[in-house]
Amino acid sequence: MKKEEEGSERPDNTAFTQQRLPAWQPILSAGIVIPGFLLIGLAFIGIGIALFLTSQTIQVLERDYTGYEQTSPCFTCSSPSAKNCTCEITFSLDKIFTGPVFFYYGLTNYYQSFRKYGVSKDDNQLFGDTTYFKNPQDSCFPYQRDSNSRPIVPCGALPNSMFNDTFELFHEVNKTKKRVPLDGKGIAWWTDYNIKYRNPSFVNGSLANAFEGTEKPINWPTSAYELDPTDPNNNGFLNQDFLVWMRRAALPQFRKLYRRITEGDYAAGLPAGDYFLTIHYNYPVLNFDGRKMVVFSNVSWMGGKNDFLGIAYLVVGSLCVVMSVVMLIVYAKYKFKEDS
Amino acid sequence: MVNDSQFEVASRNERHFTLSFQCGGDEKRVDSRTIYIGHRPCPGTEAYIPTKFCDNRIVSSKYTVWNFLPKNLFEQFRRIANFYFLIIFLVQVIVDTPTSPVTSGLPLFFVITVTAIKQGYEDWLRHKADYEVNKYQVIVLEDGRSVKKESEKIKVGDVVEVVEDETFPCDLILLQSTREDDTCFVTTASLDGESNHKTHYTVPDTGRELQDLNATIECEQPQPDLYKFVGRMHIYKPEQEPGVRSLGPENLLLKGATLKNTKKIYGVAVYTGMETKMALNYQGKSQKRSAVEKSINGFLLVYLSILISKAVVCTTLKYVWQSKEGQDEPWYNQKTQKEKDTYMYLKMFTDFLSFMVLFNFIIPVSMYVTVEMQKFLGSFFITWDKDFFDPEIQEGALVNTSDLNEELGQVEYVFTDKTGTLTQNNMEFIECCIDGFQYRHKDATSEVDGFTVTDGPADKLHQKAGLEKEELFLRAMCLCHTVQVKESGPEETLLDQVDGIDARLPQLEEERGFIASSPDEVALVKGAMRYGFTFLGLESKCMKIRNRQNDIEEYELLHVLNFDPVRRRMSVIVRTKSGETLLFCKGADSSIFPRVKPEEVDRIRRHVERNATEGYRTLCVAYKQLSAEEYAAADSGLKTARLALQDREEKLMAMYNLVETDMSLIGATAVEDRLQEEAAETMEALQGAGMKIWVLTGDKMETAKSTCYACRLFQRGTELLELTVRTLEDGRSKREDRLIELLRDYHRRAVQDAPPFKEGVTRSWSSANQEYGFIIDGATLSLVMNPARDADASLYRSLFLQICQNCAAVLCCRMAPLQKAQIVKMVKNSKGSPITLSIGDGANDVSMILEAHVGIGIKGKEGRQAVRNSDYAFPKLKHLKKLLLAHGHLYYVRIAHLVQYFFYKNLCFILPQFLYQFFCGYSQQPLYDAAYLTMYNICFTSMPILAFSLLEQHIAMEILLDNAALYRVIAKNAMLRWRPFLYWTVLGIFQGLMFFFGVRFLFSNPALQDNGQVFGNWSFGTIVFTVLVFTVTLKLAMDTRHWTWINHFVIWGSLAFYVFFSFFWGGIIWPFLKQQRLYFVFANMLSSVSAWLVIIILILLSLLPEILLAVLRKPRGPHSRQVTFIALVKRED
């Protein structure tokens, strides 16, 4: 009896209760840190050089076509009164622009990151849920219903403001303009196209019927089911351009993928020569002091051209190397002192 | 001479000091209550009106089923942090804010629910306990019949029967006991933890037949002091004058106490239910807050202002930015009509609130939870420590509060009791001096008549005191005490029982157990036994002793003049068989010498002083023969005083003083109290750790001083500055003048002439310079504290404090318990408000234990009062060293790191979100997904820091114990001062900037995949968040010096969990979410080489300054940290 009580009173003698768990006690000593820094530094410099060189090989061609200046070919189109305006910018390549070439459009001072703008959409609609076609979510307001109170599908500011300039690229070959085929597939995330967004199920074999009783977004020239007349699989919410637009940009200055040049004679790239870009100018940006541009770029394993990463690696890498040298000197001094 | 342990006796009376702190208001209640025993009307009183008293129901529970929810919620939201989070939550519900209310509602709900469940469970336990107590069957005498009743139905005036080993159901006045001597024994273990048997007495003259008893009791209204009771019983007998009997605490049986060694008692209920003394003492102890908590609150304010200024900056910038045309409402983001119509200032206000909500995560709910968990779980390590386990008493350490763990690492002043703390309080009779002749008992096992004389020129028999004197002295030793002989059955071992601690008697031919509240008394009685006089016990007011001739002598015990610390003596008045009335008095020399003939003093004084210097506890014994008239006067005086309802104690005191005069001194005793194990080592370690040690004792100066030398508090070279009654009366000048003169002199020597301190973490007083020790006694202290002229008070105090602060050790002797608290308070409130620790074992230390920042009780021999009121308790003084130097140090480092880390990790969490506002048109767009916002503090980064704060040992315990100086490294809240806080804050800002701008520059071209596709805003946030989670976790990993498998598990586990969670969260279309924002964002991020590279470089870059600092700070080899620390401290010395 008494023994039992003793047992219960006496603290357990385990490594845990006595705070004596076996422990690894690392010390950041100079012996580890100096070689470590040196190694990391060298590795970083290596990566930095690779990144920087890769970035340098990426070709980029960027043209502002806002038409802000009078000299700009799109000046006339930039006036708010212009309708169905088309303008053309030209550029020439003196050497081959290695493919695959990616064709981006860019916007500046455009806040896709506005909070209310960002939530102004109805994900249920976009998931093909037709019950929300009749009653779009309140977050879409003021793009929820049109003036006749007919529900807008897709509702909200984000779909409504979809970029709707279109481009055609021509290559001058033997004094004739040869259309460069632009591939609109695979510009949006695979998961967006295949899983996250869904069209409503066809009614009577037609997508258009599913949108019965709904109105197109105010700023759209066509309904969602007519976005791409050339390809029936690229319509509704599963239009690649739409999906690209729906993935909000993080910063007010952004670019989005428009087309890829992967087909035909241009699969290997754009050969040297003169090019004409015909722009169907629809999207107003000047009233909020924005700019529009087109960007041609090829990509590497690191993505598009970005010098920042390479430079950052080089800087940090050299910093590490310098540090290790400094530490070595300090350490040697201390050690020397200690020995004597 | 005052004995510390005799204070224990006294402190029974003293305890109201401490208790009255808690219930001060009650003392004003002057009216009394009248109780009719058995509800029988009494002749001679006005018509019997049954007074309404509260019933005997005990309600210790706080809540009922109905009020639990509102009351508990109200109490929880009274906490400022909870209230803050509630406000944030409400703002989120009401105003259109960027994050859903769930993000702050969920953690708050979690915290509130967990707390509510815990409190609800505790209350349910209380309900259950209450029910058991209230429904307990008791026997009540009603009209001569015994009736079974539920305990809660007892009414005031009921006569209750209690049998052995039962607890009393309410406060009872003892009317009848089955014991022959009309006493009963109780233990109050559940009340004050003292498990010794206490004797209570029946009220005399109540008669055998209780149903015939016609009596009323007049007593004071209920008050919480357990040891105070004043009342009076009027007994009405047919054809007789009503008799009046005084009632005192010795007649009162307290609810909660247990009847022992007595078959059955009857008592009348005087206080019931919530009015019992136990219930009145139920109030919780005052809350002590640790300095760390104050630091947290300071930091909290800083972060709150950071939060508010962030919100203000964003709101202002938003409206500045919007004033530019086209920015406010571009065509693609039209406002609703309602928004346009809203009044602008209202819009600004809601914007401000939205920003507050967006940034509110900077002050995390989880910090409070984690801090509390850390404290709660961390305190187990103290209880579990087997080094604190004492095999002798079979107990380990006890943690009464976990709020103060870290305070143990911050102690600057240690106030220690002497007896029972520095010393063992294990008294052994050493020698006595009878009539100037020394009798030393050399060997405990020697003959009973082993008288040996070691003093004096020759050890001849005739050099001894006269036989008569000798026997008188021994009789005095045998009679003048309150010791009881323990009755024990044949199967029980005979043991001394001194407040629950059993100590085996030295083998004597006759083993005998004594029960006493003071170990000195037992030692004296046993001492007398060695010289042939054995105390046999007290039976019906008759003390029996067996003398050397083996004859039984009987003395009638007439009065006991109890010990109290003011008088510092106690007396008994006995009548011998031959009819002589004798008064025996024993007490401190200072209280006896003035009351005896001066010529007798000189012979004894020399011995007393020599004994005291040797560290023995000395008592003087005096006696006086009372003539019949004298006795009659004393008897009536004492009786009247005892009957007084008001000012009883003052009257008694006056009476005692009157009786105890003109005595003759017959001798002195010396009792040894051995030093505690490793007392000196402990004290040395504490001093080495930079703590100042003050010994506060009720003992006399010489004894205390020798203990101080023995403990190495004073060393050979220490110059003692003495400020005692003796030094004050040295000069011819007046006391006051002499006092200020001495103070000025000491001040000059110890403060002004001392070399100035180096500014730094520690003051080095253990230098080669002269060390000072300071001694002050109680009387002088009260002069210093309350000088004749009030104007001097502050001057005296500041001089006194400055002297004390420059002394290695301070000894305050002859302190009353309240004076101990006074000193602690004075130091506590002095400049720099140093952290104080009081350690003691007796009830007389309770006041200082409660007063100090940290109160420590020793589970010693003087009862459990100190343990009950302490914050921590352990069996031995030597455990203090490990508690402070190892546990305290580690706890402090852990919690300081925890707090700093929490603020840091939330700063660099929220800063990118703040910076992002500049890139989203100040629209309160969150950078991170709601799931990340919510989970960051709860899941991703909580466990590693909790594990760190429980397990970290940046320096091994052994090294901490061996190098006390390491304690000074963290002194003065070193890790939570503004400088380290600033460092952490700057680190957080630096890292936050890195995270955000690193990713922002990467996103200058958002095409980050080799398929040319671009990343959006959620990818941006997820990359920042990934860098963030990894960086803060790796930062902690870098700080971890002690990697147990648990650390490995939680650190790598957290990171793995983050990755797993992100995949999972982004891998499924969640039907309950309105927006599938993170769908495949994480997976896509990982498919981008650039994202990988930016994450790696940002993590490294953020940690780079830390690594550099860590290396440069200690550029030498392994264990450099310890070595550097020690070297650093040594250099300071």
Side-chain angles (χ1 to χ4, degrees), chain B residues 663-870:
Chain B
M663 301 178 288
S664 35
L665 192 62
I666 43 179
T669 58
V671 169
E672 190 189 11
D673 189 4
R674 286 210 198 89
L675 278 189
Q676 285 269 15
E677 285 170 61
E678 293 171 35
E681 288 83 349
T682 307
M683 289 300 129
E684 216 164 33
L686 298 188
Q687 284 196 328
M691 283 173 246
K692 308 230 164 149
I693 297 170
W694 293 39
V695 178
L696 309 183
T697 176
D699 221 333
K700 62 176 297 179
M701 191 184 98
E702 285 72 20
T703 319
K705 205 157 90 181
S706 65
T707 309
C708 285
Y709 275 113
C711 291
R712 281 178 243 163
L713 285 175
F714 294 157
Q715 309 210 331
R716 212 160 286 272
T718 310
E719 193 181 332
L720 296 182
L721 310 175
E722 218 174 279
L723 198 65
T724 55
V725 178
R726 206 175 66 193
T727 52
L728 284 189
E729 281 171 353
D730 245 15
R732 302 138 297 277
S733 45
K734 258 175 60 191
R735 271 177 136 200
E736 289 263 315
D737 300 335
R738 178 78 184 143
L739 175 69
I740 185 74
E741 192 183 311
L742 275 175
L743 274 175
R744 288 238 159 85
D745 176 42
Y746 292 161
H747 187 259
R748 198 179 55 247
R749 277 155 71 184
V751 183
Q752 290 162 358
D753 293 352
F757 294 124
K758 275 173 274 172
E759 271 312 311
V761 188
T762 54
R763 292 172 164 188
S764 52
W765 39 262
S766 55
S767 56
N769 298 307
Q770 180 60 50
E771 244 184 67
Y772 292 99
F774 190 73
I775 301 174
I776 190 166
D777 62 6
T780 319
L781 182 74
S782 55
L783 262 183
V784 173
M785 304 292 265
N786 312 303
R789 280 164 297 162
D790 279 348
D792 297 334
S794 60
L795 173 71
Y796 283 13
R797 275 188 195 207
S798 76
L799 282 177
F800 171 64
L801 259 178
Q802 284 180 30
I803 298 168
C804 289
Q805 280 163 356
N806 283 20
C807 287
V810 176
L811 167 63
C812 305
C813 43
R814 298 186 187 255
M815 292 282 132
L818 267 189
Q819 276 183 315
K820 293 187 180 183
Q822 242 179 343
I823 291 218
V824 175
K825 193 172 185 175
M826 181 177 74
V827 172
K828 196 168 95 173
N829 296 335
S830 68
K831 203 170 134 257
S833 36
I835 306 295
T836 54
L837 176 143
S838 291
I839 177 164
D841 69 324
N844 56 337
D845 306 315
V846 168
S847 54
M848 74 171 183
I849 285 176
L850 287 174
E851 183 66 47
H853 291 98
V854 187
I856 298 203
I858 298 237
K859 295 176 168 179
K861 304 195 167 175
E862 292 199 33
R864 285 295 159 108
Q865 193 77 0
V867 173
R868 202 162 64 108
N869 287 290
S870 64

Side-chain angles (χ1 to χ4, degrees), chain B residues 117-309:
Chain B
I117 288 174
K118 181 175 154 257
Q119 292 180 347
Y121 175 70
E122 283 169 359
D123 206 54
W124 180 71
L125 289 182
R126 281 195 287 264
H127 268 289
K128 226 173 81 172
D130 286 352
Y131 184 84
E132 253 169 51
V133 170
N134 290 332
K135 297 293 170 197
Y136 188 78
Q137 293 288 325
V138 293
I139 296 169
V140 174
L141 282 190
E142 268 177 15
D143 308 322
R145 286 174 296 117
S146 298
V147 182
K148 275 209 166 191
K149 260 192 183 181
E150 285 166 353
S151 164
E152 62 179 0
K153 297 208 169 116
I154 294 176
K155 292 195 290 291
V156 170
D158 280 349
V159 178
V160 182
E161 178 188 312
V162 181
V163 297
E164 188 166 2
D165 292 331
E166 255 186 345
T167 53
F168 302 113
C170 55
D171 290 354
L172 302 168
I173 290 290
L174 180 58
L175 295 176
Q176 213 178 76
S177 160
T178 49
R179 283 177 66 93
E180 278 172 15
D181 53 357
D182 284 335
T183 59
C184 75
F185 289 101
V186 301
T187 66
T188 50
S190 56
L191 284 172
D192 56 10
E194 296 179 19
S195 59
N196 65 327
H197 293 190
K198 299 192 175 85
T199 321
H200 287 250
Y201 301 93
T202 55
V203 185
D205 303 330
T206 48
R208 283 282 102 185
E209 294 301 317
L210 281 179
Q211 62 265 39
D212 297 338
L213 176 67
N214 254 341
T216 59
I217 291 170
E218 207 179 317
C219 62
E220 58 186 354
Q221 289 292 3
Q223 56 137 324
D225 189 341
L226 293 180
Y227 309 97
K228 236 180 162 181
F229 175 73
V230 186
R232 173 157 65 188
M233 185 188 261
H234 300 266
I235 302 169
Y236 305 93
K237 287 186 182 153
E239 297 120 32
Q240 261 184 43
E241 274 290 292
V244 182
R245 294 285 168 269
S246 73
L247 304 175
E250 71 276 5
N251 304 113
L252 186 70
L253 305 170
L254 298 177
K255 179 185 174 80
T258 313
L259 185 65
K260 290 282 178 195
N261 272 354
T262 314
K263 280 213 188 67
K264 196 157 81 175
I265 61 110
Y266 290 97
V268 59
V270 283
Y271 304 128
T272 49
M274 298 313 286
E275 290 181 342
T276 55
K277 288 186 184 282
M278 186 184 86
L280 290 174
N281 271 294
Y282 215 79
Q283 280 92 348
K285 281 194 293 177
S286 65
Q287 287 283 312
K288 288 185 184 174
R289 284 204 321 163
S290 74
V292 168
E293 223 175 308
K294 284 168 206 156
S295 299
I296 295 181
N297 287 342
F299 299 163
L300 210 66
L301 284 182
V302 173
Y303 270 65
L304 202 64
S305 41
I306 291 180
L307 169 66
I308 290 172
S309 49

Side-chain angles (χ1 to χ4, degrees), chain B residues 802-988:
Chain B
Q802 284 180 30
I803 298 168
C804 289
Q805 280 163 356
N806 283 20
C807 287
V810 176
L811 167 63
C812 305
C813 43
R814 298 186 187 255
M815 292 282 132
L818 267 189
Q819 276 183 315
K820 293 187 180 183
Q822 242 179 343
I823 291 218
V824 175
K825 193 172 185 175
M826 181 177 74
V827 172
K828 196 168 95 173
N829 296 335
S830 68
K831 203 170 134 257
S833 36
I835 306 295
T836 54
L837 176 143
S838 291
I839 177 164
D841 69 324
N844 56 337
D845 306 315
V846 168
S847 54
M848 74 171 183
I849 285 176
L850 287 174
E851 183 66 47
H853 291 98
V854 187
I856 298 203
I858 298 237
K859 295 176 168 179
K861 304 195 167 175
E862 292 199 33
R864 285 295 159 108
Q865 193 77 0
V867 173
R868 202 162 64 108
N869 287 290
S870 64
D871 303 310
Y872 302 89
F874 44 69
K876 289 271 166 65
L877 175 77
K878 63 174 178 182
H879 299 143
L880 186 64
K881 181 178 165 189
K882 190 175 183 191
L883 187 72
L884 296 186
L885 297 191
H887 285 285
H889 190 125
L890 290 179
Y891 279 126
Y892 175 75
V893 170
R894 289 168 183 172
I895 199 133
H897 204 282
L898 168 73
V899 169
Q900 298 279 25
Y901 179 77
F902 245 99
F903 281 111
Y904 144 81
K905 82 174 165 127
N906 283 291
L907 183 64
C908 56
F909 172 47
I910 283 308
L911 190 66
Q913 182 136 292
F914 167 71
L915 294 170
Y916 191 57
Q917 298 311 307
F918 296 86
F919 297 90
C920 69
Y922 310 98
S923 61
Q924 300 117 24
Q925 170 65 38
L927 180 60
Y928 316 115
D929 183 59
Y932 285 158
L933 281 173
T934 316
M935 307 265 285
Y936 176 69
N937 273 312
I938 300 181
C939 301
F940 301 143
T941 60
S942 62
M943 290 317 284
I945 183 63
L946 183 64
F948 174 92
S949 66
L950 287 173
L951 302 168
E952 173 66 355
Q953 292 176 38
H954 64 299
I955 305 175
M957 287 230 212
E958 291 76 25
I959 298 174
L960 285 175
L961 285 174
D962 290 346
N963 304 286
L966 289 174
Y967 194 82
R968 297 197 213 170
V969 177
I970 55 159
K972 302 251 175 215
N973 210 1
M975 289 179 73
L976 286 174
R977 272 182 294 180
W978 291 110
R979 256 184 74 143
F981 176 68
L982 196 71
Y983 169 74
W984 282 92
T985 308
V986 168
L987 186 73

Side-chain angles (χ1 to χ4, degrees), chain A residues 205-316:
Chain A
S206 146
L207 182 62
N209 287 344
F211 282 80
E212 185 76 49
T214 64
E215 196 55 47
K216 69 174 177 60
I218 297 158
N219 287 46
W220 286 22
T222 58
S223 295
Y225 49 87
E226 292 165 329
L227 279 174
D228 188 354
T230 59
D231 182 358
N233 289 329
N234 195 24
N235 270 318
F237 307 135
L238 295 183
N239 178 277
Q240 295 262 353
D241 288 320
F242 178 67
L243 295 178
V244 167
W245 182 254
M246 291 301 282
R247 184 150 293 278
R248 291 161 65 199
L251 302 171
Q253 175 169 5
F254 62 87
R255 58 174 74 157
K256 283 179 184 284
L257 188 54
Y258 181 67
R259 291 292 180 266
R260 299 187 301 159
I261 302 169
T262 54
E263 292 164 42
D265 303 337
Y266 300 97
L270 297 175
D274 293 329
Y275 289 86
F276 304 89
L277 183 69
T278 309
I279 298 154
H280 300 279
Y281 196 114
N282 299 315
Y283 207 70
V285 289
L286 279 178
N287 54 2
F288 55 85
D289 204 19
R291 296 289 179 274
K292 302 195 282 189
M293 60 204 66
V294 286
V295 183
F296 293 90
S297 167
N298 44 26
V299 298
S300 68
W301 51 273
M302 61 172 280
K305 187 180 178 73
N306 194 342
D307 290 345
F308 162 75
L309 211 49
I311 292 169
Y313 264 86
L314 283 173
V315 169
V316 174

Side-chain angles (χ1 to χ4, degrees), chain B residues 501-518:
Chain B
I501 310 301
D502 295 337
R504 284 187 186 276
L505 249 162
Q507 292 83 357
L508 288 173
E509 35 177 55
E510 188 185 2
E511 287 202 343
R512 191 165 282 276
F514 294 109
I515 308 170
S517 37
S518 150

Side-chain angles (χ1 to χ4, degrees), chain B residues 63-70 123 127:
Chain B
Y63 310 109
T64 65
V65 179
W66 310 112
N67 73 7
F68 175 73
L69 211 60
D123 206 54
H127 268 289

